[in-house]
Amino acid sequence: MNHNAFLSAPPRRTRRIVLVSLAILGMASAVFVVRRPLMMSAPMCMAGRWHGCFDTFNGVVLMTLVALPLAALVVWALALRRRAAGVTSAWRMSLAEVGMVHGTVPFLWLTMMPGAGAGTAPRRVSLVPLRDLVTMGPGGIVGNLLIFAALGFFAPMRFAAPASVPRILALGAGCSVLVETAQYVLWLDRVSSVDDVLVNAAGAVLAALASRRWWRTRAEAPSDQPRPGPAPAG
């Protein structure tokens, strides 16, 4: 049995290396594709100016990418602290916590950006399913799918409670309803649409299915606590 476990270790390590390499390659390719529009906001962001950086799509995306090394450092620090305390699955828990925040907050920021007619244009609500879907376009659909994708991907890895498809669907839909309501109440010149809720929830579910093999079950719930030390002799 030990011999078989020893033989299975290199393939697992190889798969992890391949997955990390593919993730880095995909990120590098994405940055290469969008480098020109991102660089348009770079001077404003580097100067610390709000206008032209944090109130633009390109600026928010650029700062999200710039903050990736800091997010990785936070994951590393949290994991080391948990491992020192004897917590099992320390790396998974730390990655899930940081991933939920880093992957969701920028998209929420983008959705809450006011439009040109904020505070003056009439509030718009669309409660007819699938009516706005045809006007979103591919970019709008992909963007709505990504809003709560990180939450759907990482939440079941960190918490046992949402580790099921119906619960992730309810979580994504509930968060989306809150966002659409906030857009309406704050008068942001955005359409509060039921289609946004449907697509946002679908994005959370698809992302959750992608991470299903790493979901945390209720049987793993006690792993949050430090492992007990050996009993004193005598």
Side-chain angles (χ1 to χ4, degrees):
M1 185 179 296
N2 292 337
H3 180 67
N4 293 336
F6 177 77
L7 291 178
S8 63
R12 291 181 181 177
R13 190 178 301 112
T14 302
R15 283 196 296 268
R16 291 176 182 175
I17 293 174
V18 170
L19 289 175
V20 171
S21 301
L22 289 175
I24 295 175
L25 180 61
M27 188 180 300
S29 301
V31 172
F32 178 79
V33 171
V34 300
R35 69 191 188 283
R36 289 185 178 178
L38 293 183
M39 288 302 102
M40 294 171 59
S41 300
M44 297 294 184
C45 293
M46 295 301 103
R49 298 181 181 178
W50 182 276
H51 181 66
C53 179
F54 293 101
D55 61 346
T56 65
F57 174 83
N58 292 337
V60 173
V61 174
L62 177 61
M63 297 310 295
T64 302
L65 294 174
V66 170
L68 275 174
L70 177 60
L73 182 62
V74 173
V75 172
W76 176 76
L78 288 175
L80 287 186
R81 182 178 180 182
R82 284 184 168 128
R83 289 188 66 183
V87 177
T88 58
S89 304
W91 284 100
R92 183 182 66 177
M93 293 169 58
S94 303
L95 176 62
E97 289 173 353
V98 177
M100 280 189 292
V101 176
H102 190 79
T104 304
V105 171
F107 285 105
L108 289 179
W109 186 274
L110 291 173
T111 60
M112 298 303 293
M113 281 185 180
T120 57
R123 292 184 171 96
R124 293 168 291 170
V125 179
S126 177
L127 301 178
V128 180
L130 306 182
R131 187 176 71 178
D132 292 336
L133 195 62
V134 294
T135 63
M136 286 184 185
I141 293 176
V142 172
N144 278 285
L145 287 172
L146 292 176
I147 290 177
F148 294 112
L151 182 64
F153 188 93
F154 290 111
M157 294 171 56
R158 175 60 182 87
F159 303 105
S164 71
V165 172
R167 291 176 181 178
I168 288 295
L169 179 63
L171 178 63
C175 292
S176 183
V177 168
L178 291 177
V179 170
E180 298 300 311
T181 303
Q183 290 177 348
Y184 179 84
V185 172
L186 297 177
W187 209 339
L188 299 179
D189 189 26
R190 288 179 174 269
V191 180
S192 298
S193 171
V194 68
D195 286 346
D196 289 339
V197 175
L198 295 176
V199 179
N200 293 346
V205 170
L206 292 175
L209 292 175
S211 67
R212 194 164 191 169
R213 61 175 298 182
W214 301 294
W215 279 8
R216 182 173 165 201
T217 62
R218 292 190 179 276
E220 296 175 294
S223 64
D224 281 353
Q225 304 299 326
R227 288 172 292 189

